[in-house]
């Protein structure tokens, strides 16, 4: 089986995954807490994994997923918010048992910004490499020294998730949360501020309040570089 496996918080990764699946006719799977074991029980010929950059790396909960995935070859697509792509695909590739034949950093709308930015299409050269068994030459990229230092604690300090009276108690936020960090709109210490609950609340009852430090950081110049390894 060939598949596209995606983890998406704000919808960027889902859109990219659907594009890839549409152009390749691969099966598509959403990676969640509830589907992870089922996906890991399968064997894939080619697995394309789409995920967002968190603190200049892959989402921490995906570490065991990368280590346990059964695939003949893997391609990685990391969406980033156009400030710093970090070193995510290099770090993810080191965990995988299968060779990584293609990897891509794809610019996307930043999760913490309300902006109308359209993620560019995946380059054709990426698709052309999916059937190859030759590993891509993935280089190690610069990463802020403190990017991996207590990311959850830092995130909770710079952004707060607020629940309004519009909450109906449907608890879809709890159902959607991959790290079991929210219950009826109230977050706990596991929360990494991915904002999946905010973006997927059907009542719009959850909002994210940014600190001044984060607001200043988000004003940094944006860049739209597509970084590809084939």
């Amino acid at each position: 089986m060939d598949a596209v496996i995606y983890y998406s918080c704000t919808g960027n990764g889902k859109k990219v995954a659907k594009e890839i699946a549409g152009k390749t006719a691969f099966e598509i799977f959403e990676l969640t807490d509830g589907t992870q074991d089922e996906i890991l029980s399968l064997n894939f010929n080619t697995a394309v994994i789409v995920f967002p950059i968190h603190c200049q790396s892959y989402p921490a909960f995906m570490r065991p997923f990368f280590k346990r995935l059964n695939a003949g070859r893997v391609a990685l697509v990391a969406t980033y918010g156009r400030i710093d792509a970090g070193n995510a695909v290099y770090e993810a590739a080191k965990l995988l048992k299968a060779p990584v034949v293609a990897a891509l950093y794809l610019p996307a709308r930043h999760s913490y910004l309300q902006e109308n930015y359209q993620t560019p299409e995946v380059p054709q050269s990426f698709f052309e490499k999916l059937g190859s068994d030759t590993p891509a030459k993935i280089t190690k990229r610069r990463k802020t020294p403190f990017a991996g230092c207590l990311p959850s604690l830092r995130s909770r300090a710079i952004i707060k998730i607020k629940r309004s009276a519009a909450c109906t108690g449907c608890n879809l936020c709890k159902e959607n949360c991959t790290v079991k960090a929210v219950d009826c709109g109230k977050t706990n210490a596991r929360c990494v501020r991915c904002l999946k609950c905010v973006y997927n609340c059907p009542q719009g009852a959850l909002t994210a309040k940014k600190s001044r430090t984060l607001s200043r950081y988000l004003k940094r110049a944006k860049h739209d570089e597509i970084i590809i390894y084939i």
Side-chain angles (χ1 to χ4, degrees):
M1 181 193 304
D2 297 319
V4 181
I5 304 164
Y6 74 93
Y7 170 60
S8 180
C9 301
T10 64
N12 292 328
K14 182 178 182 178
K15 180 181 177 181
V16 174
K18 285 186 173 181
E19 176 196 348
I20 297 172
K23 290 182 177 180
T24 59
F26 286 8
E27 296 286 334
I28 188 167
F29 296 89
E30 181 179 8
L31 178 63
T32 67
D33 182 61
T35 64
Q36 183 169 218
D37 287 342
E38 178 186 353
I39 294 171
L40 289 172
S41 71
L42 302 173
N43 288 291
F44 302 100
N45 297 318
T46 302
V48 181
I49 307 173
V50 183
F51 60 93
I53 301 289
H54 284 181
C55 296
Q56 299 182 30
S57 188
Y58 54 81
F61 93 93
M62 293 185 71
R63 181 179 177 84
F65 173 79
F66 284 127
K67 294 178 74 171
R68 294 172 55 198
L69 181 70
N70 297 308
R73 66 178 73 89
V74 172
L76 299 171
V77 180
T79 58
Y80 75 101
R82 299 158 39 244
I83 295 180
D84 199 331
N87 197 37
V89 298
Y90 179 87
E91 293 173 354
K94 291 177 67 176
L95 299 175
L96 290 157
K97 296 177 288 186
V100 178
V101 299
L104 180 67
Y105 291 100
L106 199 63
R109 181 187 74 245
H110 199 291
S111 300
Y112 293 170
L113 289 174
Q114 297 297 323
E115 55 181 356
N116 185 22
Y117 179 80
Q118 298 298 318
T119 302
E121 292 186 357
V122 175
Q124 182 60 33
S125 56
F126 178 87
F127 292 101
E128 293 170 354
K129 190 71 190 301
L130 293 183
S132 171
D133 289 320
T134 304
K137 296 180 180 179
I138 303 173
T139 58
K140 188 175 184 179
R141 289 176 48 81
R142 181 192 63 81
K143 183 177 176 180
T144 304
F146 299 107
C149 181
L150 301 173
S152 296
L153 180 61
R154 292 199 339 267
S155 296
R156 292 196 300 275
I158 62 176
I159 191 166
K160 306 293 183 183
I161 295 176
K162 302 290 186 179
R163 182 184 64 171
S164 75
C167 177
T168 61
C170 71
N171 227 1
L172 187 64
C173 52
K174 181 178 181 179
E175 181 181 332
N176 283 334
C177 184
T178 310
V179 294
K180 295 182 173 63
V182 61
D183 189 359
C184 286
K186 294 183 179 181
T187 60
N188 59 40
R190 297 190 188 96
C191 182
V192 296
R193 298 304 191 265
C194 71
L195 301 194
K196 187 174 184 179
C197 58
V198 174
Y199 277 82
N200 290 279
C201 178
Q203 308 302 327
L206 300 178
T207 56
K209 183 179 180 180
K210 299 184 286 288
S211 69
R212 291 182 180 179
T213 300
L214 177 58
S215 295
R216 286 196 297 269
Y217 172 78
L218 293 173
K219 290 179 180 179
R220 293 175 61 183
K222 309 298 187 299
H223 52 91
D224 301 316
E225 184 181 10
I226 296 176
I227 305 164
I228 187 167
Y229 302 99
I230 52 176

